[in-house]
Amino acid sequence: MRLTIPSDLSSLLHTGLWRSAGSLGIKVATAGLTYLTYVVLSRTMSADEYGRFAFGLALATVLAIAAGIGQPTAILRVWSQEIVAGRQPAAVRAAQAGSVLTILASIAIALAVCALAYLWHLFLPSQGSINHIYGAAFLVLPMALAEYNSSALRAQGSLWTALVPRDILWRLALPASVLVLFGLGVVLSGPDALVLSAALLAGMLALQFWNALRRHYVLSPVAGVTRQYWQRWGGISRWLLLGALIETAALNADVILVGLMLNLESSGLYFNAFRTAGLMTLFTFAIELVIAPMIAQHFHAGEMRKAQAITAMGAAAGFAFSLLVFVAFFGWGDWVLSFFGPAYAEGWLVLVLLSLGLLFDAATGPSKIVMMMTGHERAYAMIFGTIMALGFLVQIVVIPAYGIVGAAAANMGARILAQLAIALWCRLRIGLDTSLLGFLTVRSATDRLPG
């Protein structure tokens, strides 16, 4: 059966697909450079030091999301909502306030982590070095600000300025710097690698900020705009923060938990398997970067047919890519993992289990983005968070007996249940089918009054 696309949707989908292809190109390059970074670090560091780096990076990622206070997702929605309503000054103030909140929260969280680490080491000195915790604290501000700047620029229609500094230049500079230092006889420890990452990312943010100003994008933090902004949008920001924390924890808490319950070497192995499995979601993530502001714009304008068409395109394209990568991992996953070193090839089963969970993620489409962009952030946090939290508790029970395989199986099961639940919510409560079957509902979707 040939699927015909209505003429009023053809141009919309063509634009979205081409922008997604551009985003995918950046993300493929990002994935390659990220993978190269991990390979270089794992090959130039001892297993224990690489485990410290993996632990610190996972911790910094979670803390950076907390420091964002939900602003990376909020600006994607608020900017589109204010622009559609004809309130451009309010959209500008929202972008400025989000930057201020991110910077202040990042500094506060980094200082708190350093203080807690110091007290922990003071009273429990036998636990060993905690320098990787301090290294993680250094990364919080640049990682949080990079995430917010990317979202703020994408909300304003930028793609290259939003993504290239962090996703390409930073990830190119880091492995190159490590190799140069290694060639000079300098072998980095885990904490050293974290601090170097923070310094290089800060430099890329400065470059991005200069380029954004030159192109007249709104990115500068401005004092005096946060109070009014928070009074209006603070409620959704808290739920957006919780949703972002839950999603980030689902991708990073396992690494931290394995490191705490087993050892740092196992943490490094699990980290490599999870980051490798994450390559499956490249196209899904690339598409979501593009369609998030588009969904917000069309949904709040009442254009449900266009919102459904964009969602269906995202689900189909993302799943096709993920399925191909899953097949490759199933057949040659041990070979892929061996790039990190011969010992890491034993993580094949962990890789396959984690990949299967992410394959279901792709099959249910951009359900998270749809919920966040349409005002259902509270439901997302409650549904996804509850199921993933239960999965985390299961991991605590099974890790002592089954190790990293048990952790991966619990993560897979929780992710499958959570994605099915939020996709069903989108279909029944929002009126958008985010799954692979979404294209069947495009013709029957009915526009409504803006609101």
Side-chain angles (χ1 to χ4, degrees):
M1 180 182 68
R2 182 175 180 270
L3 179 64
T4 58
I5 302 176
S7 58
D8 64 324
L9 300 179
S10 179
S11 176
L12 176 71
L13 295 180
H14 183 270
T15 300
L17 191 58
W18 274 109
R19 284 179 60 82
S20 297
S23 179
L24 175 63
I26 295 175
K27 286 303 172 184
V28 167
T30 300
L33 292 172
T34 302
Y35 214 71
L36 174 63
T37 299
Y38 299 152
V39 169
V40 167
L41 287 170
S42 66
R43 291 281 187 171
T44 58
M45 299 164 65
S46 67
D48 180 70
E49 288 300 330
Y50 183 71
R52 292 180 184 278
F53 168 78
F55 184 97
L57 182 62
L59 178 61
T61 302
V62 174
L63 294 174
I65 294 300
I69 323 179
Q71 297 313 300
T73 307
I75 192 58
L76 288 170
R77 173 173 154 190
V78 172
W79 183 277
S80 297
Q81 196 167 333
E82 298 286 28
I83 292 297
V84 167
R87 297 188 292 264
Q88 184 172 356
V92 171
R93 289 194 296 271
Q96 295 168 337
S99 183
V100 173
L101 289 169
T102 301
I103 293 172
L104 294 179
S106 297
I107 294 173
I109 288 177
L111 291 175
V113 168
C114 290
L116 289 173
Y118 175 77
L119 292 174
W120 175 273
H121 189 63
L122 184 65
F123 292 104
L124 295 171
S126 61
Q127 298 299 311
S129 173
I130 58 168
N131 288 339
H132 55 297
I133 306 297
Y134 293 129
F138 272 100
L139 255 176
V140 173
L141 176 56
M143 287 187 77
L145 197 56
E147 184 68 21
Y148 176 76
N149 287 355
S150 175
S151 293
L153 290 168
R154 284 187 287 115
Q156 297 170 64
S158 166
L159 185 63
W160 297 98
T161 304
L163 300 180
V164 169
R166 178 188 64 173
D167 290 0
I168 302 296
L169 299 182
W170 176 48
R171 287 176 167 85
L172 183 62
L174 182 54
S177 299
V178 172
L179 287 174
V180 169
L181 290 171
F182 187 75
L184 295 174
V186 179
V187 179
L188 297 179
S189 66
D192 292 338
L194 292 168
V195 173
L196 177 63
S197 299
L200 292 173
L201 182 54
M204 298 308 153
L205 287 175
L207 177 64
Q208 181 186 56
F209 185 76
W210 170 80
N211 196 33
L213 290 181
R214 189 170 63 88
R215 296 174 181 272
H216 306 291
Y217 291 120
V218 180
L219 204 59
S220 303
V222 174
V225 297
T226 55
R227 181 183 297 243
Q228 183 179 2
Y229 168 80
W230 192 256
Q231 287 175 347
R232 183 176 181 191
W233 300 106
I236 71 163
S237 292
R238 284 188 287 268
W239 286 104
L240 292 173
L241 167 61
L242 182 58
L245 275 174
I246 292 168
E247 177 64 21
T248 304
L251 297 173
N252 294 277
D254 300 17
V255 177
I256 300 172
L257 187 62
V258 167
L260 292 174
M261 298 188 68
L262 297 177
N263 50 64
L264 290 172
E265 290 84 353
S266 296
S267 182
L269 195 156
Y270 194 90
F271 175 84
N272 286 341
F274 213 151
R275 288 300 185 270
T276 301
L279 297 176
M280 288 180 53
T281 63
L282 273 180
F283 202 15
T284 297
F285 185 53
I287 290 172
E288 289 179 351
L289 291 177
V290 173
I291 69 175
M294 297 173 71
I295 290 174
Q297 176 184 344
H298 293 302
F299 178 83
H300 292 292
E303 299 167 343
M304 297 297 287
R305 290 178 70 249
K306 291 184 177 180
Q308 180 60 68
I310 293 169
T311 302
M313 176 200 72
F319 179 77
F321 181 90
S322 296
L323 182 60
L324 290 174
V325 179
F326 176 78
V327 171
F329 286 164
F330 189 84
W332 301 281
D334 52 348
W335 176 73
V336 174
L337 289 174
S338 69
F339 290 157
F340 295 100
Y344 293 101
E346 66 186 58
W348 176 84
L349 182 56
V350 174
L351 171 62
V352 170
L353 291 173
L354 293 172
S355 297
L356 187 58
L358 292 173
L359 184 62
F360 271 82
D361 195 331
T364 54
S367 50
K368 171 199 169 186
I369 288 297
V370 167
M371 293 187 76
M372 293 293 192
M373 295 297 104
T374 59
H376 293 80
E377 60 281 339
R378 181 172 182 174
Y380 171 80
M382 295 296 290
I383 297 170
F384 192 81
T386 299
I387 297 175
M388 295 307 293
L390 291 174
F392 190 72
L393 293 176
V394 172
Q395 286 180 319
I396 294 176
V397 174
V398 302
I399 284 177
Y402 300 100
I404 58 177
V405 174
N411 181 283
M412 175 195 70
R415 181 167 290 275
I416 290 173
L417 291 176
Q419 289 299 142
L420 290 175
I422 61 175
L424 185 61
W425 177 279
C426 289
R427 181 69 182 91
L428 298 178
R429 301 298 296 270
I430 303 175
L432 294 175
D433 190 338
T434 65
S435 73
L436 289 172
L437 300 178
F439 72 93
L440 297 176
T441 63
V442 173
R443 289 184 178 278
S444 60
T446 305
D447 291 345
R448 55 170 175 72
L449 294 175

